[in-house]
Amino acid sequence: MYSLAEENYLKAIYHLESKSQGAVSTNAIADAMDTKPSSVTDMVQKLAEKEVLSYIKYKGTSLTKKGKKTAANVIRKHRLWEVFLVEKLNFHWDEVHDIAEQLEHVHSEELISRLDKFLGFPDFDPHGDPIPDKHGNVKPTEKKLLSELNKNQKGVCVGVKESNSDFLQYLDKKNITIGTKVSVLGKEFFDGSMVIQVGRDQFFISKKIAENLYIQTN
Amino acid sequence: MYSLAEENYLKAIYHLESKSQGAVSTNAIADAMDTKPSSVTDMVQKLAEKEVLSYIKYKGTSLTKKGKKTAANVIRKHRLWEVFLVEKLNFHWDEVHDIAEQLEHVHSEELISRLDKFLGFPDFDPHGDPIPDKHGNVKPTEKKLLSELNKNQKGVCVGVKESNSDFLQYLDKKNITIGTKVSVLGKEFFDGSMVIQVGRDQFFISKKIAENLYIQTN
DNA sequence: CTTTATTTTTAGCCTTGACTAAAAATAAAA
DNA sequence: TTTTATTTTTAGTCAAGGCTAAAAATAAAG
């Protein structure tokens, strides 16, 4: 069982590692966690003893298999709770992070497996990020911005990039939500605007909109 | 904002106070919280400074209005989460306490108010205990054991006393759950057995069963 | 290849919340 | 009303996690 602080470190290191290959620097962790490098050194040494990461002085850290699994599990919980908050409690996508940040530390395997079932075994959270399975595996996914698709390509909406209230309301009006199928009927190279099909509706969208919607294409 | 430890103390003192009128002794708190009296003294002095309780050396403590409200709010959260776990995630009544113990410390007014709505504004948790409102008020309730009712009295099932698996399965079979209306059609003084009406069914129950079901009669 | 700048670590201290052992109040018994 | 027992408090420690300031590595520049 890991403490709240330990879980947060593992999570942060997991994210940093996936963004920039290779060992993660002490400063980078301190930065991500809004804490001081000296505190990071302490914690990282402690976590190295618990064998969730390997740490070489002055060289940085990287998660072990065990550490990756633990981190992925915390992330799994975070994302499942986000789905719950949006789908069941009708929060908006951009309101749920802080709450999920707390809920992710509730310890109970059974709780999470039942929550998963209750939510219909979702694959993505409301931001379009994939939800790891209970073994910590993340399905490799083909997530693109809608603006990167070309004519006749299609996919499923899995999230938004930046979520301001106006944009979310626009999506609402157009009946676009997580899981909605979207097809590109036409694309204007001139301004990046598109004509897309959503359900039985066809309509025009600007480049700005297209750059804010994540689509999964496989 | 109160720490996890502080919230747990407030909750424990609240419960102790409601059971035994007057100031609560240091030992009683230590006992309830499975900690040492010296630790309790420390914490209680800290909480007295925060004005959530009044404390007189060697005399004991009692919650202030502010403290009562805070404690009731934690209890409110605990009980709402228990309802969620049972009603939505299909946990059994006796499995939910430890999980709710963690969930109750998640800080978000909005979360709780939405959860409350999602659950249909329940008045009781799965154990039949009343859920305080957001101001910390507990509706004064007329909760009795079914065995205390007499012929022609009726009420609503609000919980169970002891919940073992066999008993819960029995209730399941008879379609008795939280909110079920129950009427006493007959009562045998000889052995305490009863004939009751549940929905359109009428059947016989033993004293043992009747002593394990809480009924609200107002 | 030194010198300087940056990054990382160490050492020492702080707060929270708990503990033990000893002292001080209070309560009970003789 | 003393004496004894019980309860409560105080004093001093400890572990977790964080911080600051200073020292030590590493990297960058001259």
Side-chain angles (χ1 to χ4, degrees):
Chain A
M1 192 94 349
Y2 298 90
S3 73
L4 196 147
E6 289 171 335
E7 288 189 347
N8 282 332
Y9 272 95
L10 291 174
K11 194 170 47 122
I13 296 168
Y14 183 96
H15 283 134
L16 289 169
E17 224 172 8
S18 73
K19 269 180 211 157
S20 48
Q21 322 293 37
V24 177
S25 80
T26 300
N27 264 7
I29 300 172
D31 232 65
M33 305 222 10
D34 201 32
T35 185
K36 300 290 168 185
S38 56
S39 308
V40 173
T41 302
D42 285 352
M43 180 56 95
V44 144
Q45 288 176 341
K46 201 179 92 185
L47 290 174
E49 275 179 17
K50 295 198 176 183
E51 318 220 283
V52 287
L53 53 80
S54 58
Y55 161 67
I56 304 169
K57 267 192 187 180
Y58 295 103
K59 292 292 178 184
T61 63
S62 55
L63 296 180
T64 61
K65 199 152 286 178
K66 190 178 166 194
K68 272 187 193 125
K69 187 177 169 183
T70 306
N73 235 285
V74 176
I75 291 165
R76 169 176 163 77
K77 291 196 269 175
H78 181 103
R79 293 184 177 163
L80 282 172
W81 279 117
E82 285 197 339
V83 173
F84 169 73
L85 294 171
V86 168
E87 300 277 306
K88 301 296 183 180
L89 300 194
N90 298 116
F91 276 98
H92 275 311
W93 294 335
D94 54 346
E95 301 175 311
V96 296
H97 188 267
D98 291 350
I99 300 175
E101 204 78 0
Q102 299 179 61
L103 287 165
E104 75 190 6
H105 300 293
V106 171
H107 292 293
S108 167
E109 279 299 315
E110 186 65 19
L111 171 62
I112 291 307
S113 102
R114 284 175 188 252
L115 181 64
D116 192 21
K117 183 176 180 186
F118 180 60
L119 299 172
F121 306 105
D123 291 318
F124 298 93
D125 79 6
H127 303 94
D129 296 312
I131 299 173
D133 69 19
K134 62 184 66 186
H135 309 294
N137 300 314
V138 182
K139 212 185 285 178
T141 161
E142 204 59 57
K143 193 175 86 173
K144 296 176 181 169
L145 289 172
L146 176 52
S147 57
E148 297 175 73
L149 298 196
N150 289 312
K151 188 171 171 179
N152 293 326
Q153 284 194 285
K154 56 188 165 189
V156 173
C157 172
V158 292
V160 291
K161 193 170 171 194
E162 285 175 69
S163 47
N164 71 67
S165 195
D166 283 348
F167 181 52
L168 296 181
Q169 275 167 35
Y170 171 83
L171 295 180
D172 231 43
K173 206 168 60 190
K174 293 298 194 184
N175 279 311
I176 298 174
T177 179
I178 306 291
T180 302
K181 281 188 201 131
V182 175
S183 317
V184 178
L185 302 177
K187 184 175 183 180
E188 209 55 70
F189 283 99
F190 159 62
D191 63 356
S193 67
M194 293 176 156
V195 176
I196 63 174
Q197 170 128 21
V198 174
R200 353 172 199 345
D201 298 338
Q202 301 184 355
F203 50 88
F204 166 91
I205 61 168
S206 71
K207 186 180 185 186
K208 188 163 179 184
I209 300 272
E211 280 174 335
N212 257 311
L213 265 181
Y214 281 118
I215 303 293
Q216 200 207 353
T217 55
N218 57 355
Chain B
M1 193 94 349
Y2 299 91
S3 73
L4 195 147
E6 289 172 335
E7 288 188 349
N8 281 333
Y9 272 96
L10 291 174
K11 192 168 50 123
I13 296 167
Y14 183 96
H15 283 133
L16 290 168
E17 223 171 9
S18 73
K19 270 179 210 157
S20 49
Q21 320 293 38
V24 177
S25 80
T26 300
N27 263 7
I29 300 171
D31 233 67
M33 305 222 12
D34 200 32
T35 184
K36 301 290 170 186
S38 56
S39 308
V40 173
T41 302
D42 285 353
M43 179 56 94
V44 144
Q45 288 176 342
K46 201 180 92 184
L47 290 174
E49 274 178 18
K50 295 198 177 183
E51 320 222 281
V52 286
L53 53 79
S54 57
Y55 161 67
I56 304 169
K57 267 191 186 182
Y58 296 104
K59 292 292 179 185
T61 63
S62 54
L63 296 180
T64 61
K65 198 152 289 179
K66 190 177 165 195
K68 274 187 192 125
K69 187 176 169 184
T70 306
N73 235 285
V74 176
I75 291 164
R76 168 175 163 78
K77 292 195 269 177
H78 181 104
R79 293 183 177 163
L80 282 172
W81 280 117
E82 285 197 339
V83 173
F84 170 73
L85 293 172
V86 168
E87 300 276 306
K88 302 296 183 180
L89 300 194
N90 299 115
F91 276 99
H92 275 309
W93 292 335
D94 54 348
E95 302 174 310
V96 295
H97 188 267
D98 290 350
I99 300 175
E101 204 77 1
Q102 299 178 62
L103 287 165
E104 74 190 9
H105 299 292
V106 172
H107 292 293
S108 167
E109 279 300 314
E110 187 64 19
L111 170 63
I112 291 307
S113 102
R114 282 175 189 251
L115 181 64
D116 192 20
K117 184 177 180 186
F118 180 60
L119 298 172
F121 306 105
D123 290 317
F124 298 93
D125 78 7
H127 304 95
D129 296 313
I131 298 172
D133 69 20
K134 63 185 65 184
H135 309 295
N137 301 314
V138 183
K139 210 185 287 178
T141 160
E142 205 58 58
K143 193 176 87 172
K144 296 176 180 170
L145 289 172
L146 176 52
S147 58
E148 297 174 73
L149 298 195
N150 289 312
K151 188 171 171 179
N152 294 325
Q153 284 192 285
K154 57 188 164 189
V156 173
C157 172
V158 291
V160 291
K161 194 169 170 191
E162 287 174 69
S163 48
N164 70 67
S165 195
D166 284 348
F167 181 52
L168 296 182
Q169 274 167 36
Y170 171 84
L171 295 180
D172 231 43
K173 206 168 60 190
K174 294 296 196 184
N175 279 310
I176 298 173
T177 179
I178 307 291
T180 303
K181 282 191 200 130
V182 175
S183 316
V184 178
L185 301 177
K187 185 175 183 181
E188 209 55 70
F189 282 98
F190 159 62
D191 64 355
S193 67
M194 293 176 156
V195 176
I196 62 173
Q197 170 127 24
V198 174
R200 349 167 204 347
D201 300 336
Q202 301 184 355
F203 50 88
F204 167 92
I205 60 168
S206 70
K207 185 181 185 184
K208 188 162 180 184
I209 300 272
E211 280 173 334
N212 258 312
L213 265 181
Y214 282 118
I215 303 293
Q216 200 208 355
T217 56
N218 57 352

